[in-house]
């Protein structure tokens, strides 16, 4: 199990106006988070931190691939990911009214970006995960076609309509 310590940023320790950080994410990162939605990938994260008066602006650029299950054939597939995210962080102890601002305890001054990066990746994954045409598992696709055809033929054989629906149709004007 990997460690997520290098994702923690000491905001109070940042001295210059612009700080650049780079992270390479692999299976160890996803295992350390212990999440089930995404458990493997190969991504590169570039993080730019701009220190301003009273806040920090974090710009995340993430590019790479994650392994997800194909919705059609249930095999693993590589899903390309490319996303840019912006986050404003302030030091303090009050809860911000703005949802786009993250508050970090001023006494501690440490921001853990590991979970933030994971959320950005998860939000960049499309809702539908499907292989390119012709790339799905052929055995699974054949079984799916058989079951679809069987369901269609049983509906056609049934052919008779429930009498309750017939009564409802007669109410239509």
């Amino acid at each position: 199990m990997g460690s997520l310590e290098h994702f923690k940023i000491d905001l109070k320790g940042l001295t210059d106006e612009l700080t650049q950080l780079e992270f390479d994410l692999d299976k160890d990162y996803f295992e350390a988070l212990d999440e089930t939605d995404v458990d493997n990938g190969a991504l590169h994260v570039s993080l730019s931190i701009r220190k301003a008066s009273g806040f920090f602006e974090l710009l995340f650029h993430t590019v790479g691939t994650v392994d997800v299950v194909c919705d059609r054939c249930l095999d693993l597939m590589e899903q390309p990911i490319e996303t840019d995210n912006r986050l404003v962080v302030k030091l303090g102890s009050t809860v911000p009214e703005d949802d786009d601002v993250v508050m970090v305890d001023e006494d501690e001054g440490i921001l853990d970006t590991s979970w933030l990066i994971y959320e950005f990746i998860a939000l960049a994954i499309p809702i539908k995960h499907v292989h390119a045409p012709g790339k799905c598992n052929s055995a699974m696709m054949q079984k799916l076609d058989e079951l679809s055809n069987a369901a269609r033929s049983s509906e056609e054989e049934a052919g008779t309509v429930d009498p309750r629906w017939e009564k409802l149709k007669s109410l239509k004007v």
Side-chain angles (χ1 to χ4, degrees):
M1 177 106 32
S3 173
L4 300 174
E5 284 299 313
H6 64 283
F7 290 98
K8 293 183 179 179
I9 301 168
D10 182 9
L11 296 174
K12 293 189 331 183
L14 297 178
T15 55
D16 55 355
E17 204 171 276
L18 187 65
T19 303
Q20 295 285 119
L21 298 173
E22 306 283 328
F23 302 110
D24 288 314
L25 311 180
D26 56 11
K27 188 170 184 74
D28 293 337
Y29 166 77
F30 293 104
E31 284 178 356
L33 284 176
D34 197 28
E35 269 302 305
T36 57
D37 292 339
V38 179
D39 61 359
N40 194 12
L43 297 120
H44 180 78
V45 180
S46 300
L47 172 59
S48 299
I49 305 170
R50 185 175 63 88
K51 185 177 180 179
S53 60
F55 69 94
F56 298 88
E57 181 183 40
L58 284 73
L59 300 173
F60 296 86
H61 177 73
T62 307
V63 63
T65 60
V66 293
D67 292 343
V68 294
V69 176
C70 176
D71 292 336
R72 191 177 298 143
C73 71
L74 304 178
D75 278 355
L76 281 179
M77 62 176 273
E78 284 190 349
Q79 177 67 52
I81 299 290
E82 184 165 0
T83 182
D84 292 304
N85 303 93
R86 178 181 178 269
L87 188 68
V88 175
V89 178
K90 290 184 178 181
L91 296 175
S93 57
T94 60
V95 178
E97 293 178 18
D98 189 1
D99 289 340
D100 295 335
V101 176
V102 174
M103 293 299 283
V104 173
D105 185 21
E106 195 164 6
D107 295 335
E108 187 176 327
I110 304 288
L111 175 67
D112 186 358
T113 60
S114 61
W115 186 251
L116 294 168
I117 292 170
Y118 178 81
E119 286 180 342
F120 294 148
I121 293 167
L123 289 172
I125 297 172
I127 292 173
K128 188 175 182 179
H129 325 118
V130 180
H131 281 107
K135 299 292 183 185
C136 278
N137 180 328
S138 59
M140 182 62 86
M141 293 308 298
Q142 181 180 358
K143 188 68 173 172
L144 185 61
D145 287 340
E146 289 172 11
L147 292 172
S148 296
N149 291 336
R152 259 188 248 120
S153 65
S154 68
E155 286 175 5
E156 290 170 0
E157 286 175 9
T160 60
V161 177
D162 188 339
R164 294 174 289 185
W165 291 111
E166 288 298 326
K167 286 275 192 193
L168 289 173
K169 285 183 182 177
S170 69
L171 294 176
K172 256 204 278 191
V173 178

